Amino acid sequence: MRVKLKIWRQARGESEGRLEDYEIDNISEDMSFLEMLDQLNEELTEKGIEPVAFDSDCREGICGTCGMVISGTAHGRGSSPVRTTTCQLHMRSFSDGETITIEPWRAGGFPIIKDLVVDRTALDRIIQAGGFVSVNTGAAPDAHANAVSKLKADKSFDNATCIGCGACVAACPNSSAMLFMSAKVTHLGQLPQGQPERWLRVKGMVGQHQAEGFGNCSNIGECAAVCPKGISLEAISQLNRDLMHSLFKADGK
């Protein structure tokens, strides 16, 4: 198959970027999207043209490093479920001769480094502001030492699947990272180990979220629609409840 590509090229963060046109042929429908970009870069290198910079790591849908906006959808729209990572998107999801637009995550909190590569360390700083628990070191406790109800355990596990890819930020009209942040807050807030710092955690993470320049949530739901791990909007509701509770705690505990 043959596809036409419109790819965002930007030499560095402070330079002006633009969409450039490419055409690539002899693409197998069984190729992943990143394999198609690999082939394009091989052809560009042979022609003496600088290859397109993009992020990738595991290429197994685990890490979320490969994020990019494909024809208006974060990570691209798969042939059946919308929820996918770019590396798990295959060329059979596109038609022969189709024009595909490829852009980086666009958000104030994700400055562009080069081409399709953005700096997502703002998410790391949000985690550092409270997405952790403090526990005693030593021998592991017995598995049944801290009882956790099935409902809370399932809720915690479902939110722990967040891979921090940033698709929720890229899809949100407000460039909000609330779904990412609420997944971390809900994951830890359901477990006994997360209770001592629960209220300080939510205030610290929300404060860092604002400091990083991310927008507020307006409940549009685009974030949940593109989340490759299916994090629910219910997580944002849980974060809001925890935040309101923390504001009435005089000592934040």
Side-chain angles (χ1 to χ4, degrees):
M1 61 186 293
R2 176 194 298 266
V3 293
K4 298 177 181 178
L5 305 173
K6 301 177 81 65
I7 303 178
W8 185 261
R9 303 302 306 267
Q10 188 168 338
R12 61 188 64 86
E14 62 274 12
S15 62
E16 185 175 345
R18 64 195 179 280
L19 285 170
E20 292 190 358
D21 296 327
Y22 302 94
E23 192 166 315
I24 184 168
D25 202 355
N26 297 320
I27 296 297
S28 168
E29 65 176 13
D30 294 323
M31 275 185 173
S32 73
F33 197 84
L34 295 188
E35 288 173 332
M36 180 273 293
L37 289 180
D38 289 338
Q39 180 173 318
L40 172 67
N41 279 342
E42 289 178 6
E43 295 180 6
L44 293 178
T45 301
E46 290 174 356
K47 296 176 182 177
I49 301 173
E50 186 171 3
V52 177
F54 64 92
D55 271 331
S56 69
D57 191 7
C58 73
R59 298 201 178 202
E60 295 180 349
I62 297 172
C63 69
T65 304
C66 57
M68 58 187 76
V69 176
I70 302 171
S71 294
T73 300
H75 283 306
R77 189 176 298 272
S79 55
S80 48
V82 175
R83 297 182 179 122
T84 185
T85 52
T86 301
C87 63
Q88 296 299 295
L89 181 68
H90 289 81
M91 295 308 296
R92 56 179 169 268
S93 299
F94 302 93
S95 303
D96 186 28
E98 184 174 347
T99 298
I100 306 171
T101 302
I102 311 172
E103 301 172 272
W105 288 166
R106 295 192 180 279
F110 291 158
I112 294 177
I113 297 175
K114 183 177 182 179
D115 294 343
L116 305 175
V117 181
V118 300
D119 182 354
R120 297 182 300 168
T121 55
L123 300 185
D124 296 330
R125 291 189 289 273
I126 291 175
I127 292 294
Q128 292 167 2
F132 54 85
V133 295
S134 299
V135 296
N136 294 326
T137 58
D142 292 336
H144 62 281
N146 293 315
V148 182
S149 70
K150 179 70 164 56
L151 182 63
K152 288 188 175 182
D154 287 347
K155 190 173 182 180
S156 177
F157 181 84
D158 289 345
N159 284 276
T161 59
C162 170
I163 56 177
C165 65
C168 51
V169 179
C172 177
N174 306 326
S175 296
S176 172
M178 286 285 282
L179 191 68
F180 160 80
M181 182 171 56
S182 64
K184 305 304 179 183
V185 167
T186 303
H187 157 218
L188 297 176
Q190 302 302 305
L191 301 176
Q193 297 89 338
Q195 299 310 306
E197 296 149 321
R198 182 172 182 176
W199 315 120
L200 290 174
R201 175 184 302 115
V202 67
K203 288 198 289 188
M205 294 180 74
V206 169
Q208 189 64 38
H209 176 275
Q210 294 173 333
E212 296 292 345
F214 293 111
N216 293 321
C217 174
S218 49
N219 293 315
I220 293 175
E222 288 293 322
C223 54
V226 300
C227 175
K229 297 303 177 181
I231 305 298
S232 169
L233 284 177
E234 183 184 348
I236 297 179
S237 298
Q238 183 65 57
L239 181 145
N240 288 333
R241 288 193 294 270
D242 278 18
L243 181 60
M244 290 299 295
H245 192 110
S246 71
L247 296 176
F248 289 99
K249 292 280 187 178
D251 57 358
K253 298 180 180 179

